[in-house]
Amino acid sequence: MVIILTVLTALFNRLSAQDYKFGLGLRLSTPSPTISSSVSAKYFLNDRSAVEGLIAFGTRFGIGGLFEMHQLIGGIQSLNWFYGGGAYVGFADKKIYTGPMGVVGIDYKFDNAPINLSLDWKPELDISPAINFVPDALALSVRFTLK
């Protein structure tokens, strides 16, 4: 049993789960969440954890932040999955929208180009102006990366 767990851990983890330090680009999302289509800036704090800032320009103007943990998928050097959470504030129709958000997704950095793609699901829970769960928050991000 210990050998099986060791092999699985070796396949799905590595010490350095990211292949870039900073990425800046666009996140194209479904229109429902407060933080929908946005400018995305992701910065790695260490080999596995990152912070991502989002400035939304979709149906509502909003600002959000996420803390993310990244891990390698299989033995593929540039392919990671990530999960995390954060919060947001948005403005529309003379109302202020605030609440927590989670995120889970996959992240791929091209080996020979400074381009990163990620696909994620980022559900939100509006706390104000009223309680409202927004589960249909899918997005594709394209970022220019710096080592």
Side-chain angles (χ1 to χ4, degrees), residues 31-37 56-63 88-91 97-98 122 124 126 134:
S32 299
T34 297
I35 306 298
S36 57
S37 293
F57 54 83
T59 56
R60 301 175 186 159
F61 172 77
I63 299 171
Y88 63 91
V89 61
F91 309 93
Y97 295 83
T98 62
K122 187 188 63 54
E124 297 177 352
D126 290 338
V134 184

Side-chain angles (χ1 to χ4, degrees), residues 115-137:
I115 302 295
N116 160 254
L117 297 176
S118 68
L119 182 63
D120 68 61
W121 176 56
K122 187 188 63 54
E124 297 177 352
L125 178 63
D126 290 338
I127 300 296
S128 74
I131 302 292
N132 181 38
F133 180 61
V134 184
D136 55 336

Side-chain angles (χ1 to χ4, degrees), residues 16-36:
S16 179
Q18 51 85 17
D19 293 324
Y20 61 98
K21 185 72 173 172
F22 177 74
L24 179 67
L26 293 177
R27 181 177 185 276
L28 303 174
S29 173
T30 53
S32 299
T34 297
I35 306 298
S36 57

Side-chain angles (χ1 to χ4, degrees), residues 6-64:
T6 303
V7 170
L8 288 175
T9 301
L11 288 175
F12 291 101
N13 292 312
R14 67 177 170 150
L15 291 176
S16 179
Q18 51 85 17
D19 293 324
Y20 61 98
K21 185 72 173 172
F22 177 74
L24 179 67
L26 293 177
R27 181 177 185 276
L28 303 174
S29 173
T30 53
S32 299
T34 297
I35 306 298
S36 57
S37 293
S38 56
V39 174
S40 167
K42 184 181 283 195
Y43 178 78
F44 279 88
L45 302 170
N46 57 41
D47 289 342
R48 291 197 175 183
S49 61
V51 290
E52 183 174 2
L54 301 164
I55 299 175
F57 54 83
T59 56
R60 301 175 186 159
F61 172 77
I63 299 171

Side-chain angles (χ1 to χ4, degrees), residues 70-89:
H70 288 244
Q71 293 184 0
L72 180 70
I73 295 176
I76 303 171
Q77 178 70 20
S78 300
L79 184 62
N80 295 277
W81 72 281
F82 62 92
Y83 60 92
Y88 63 91
V89 61

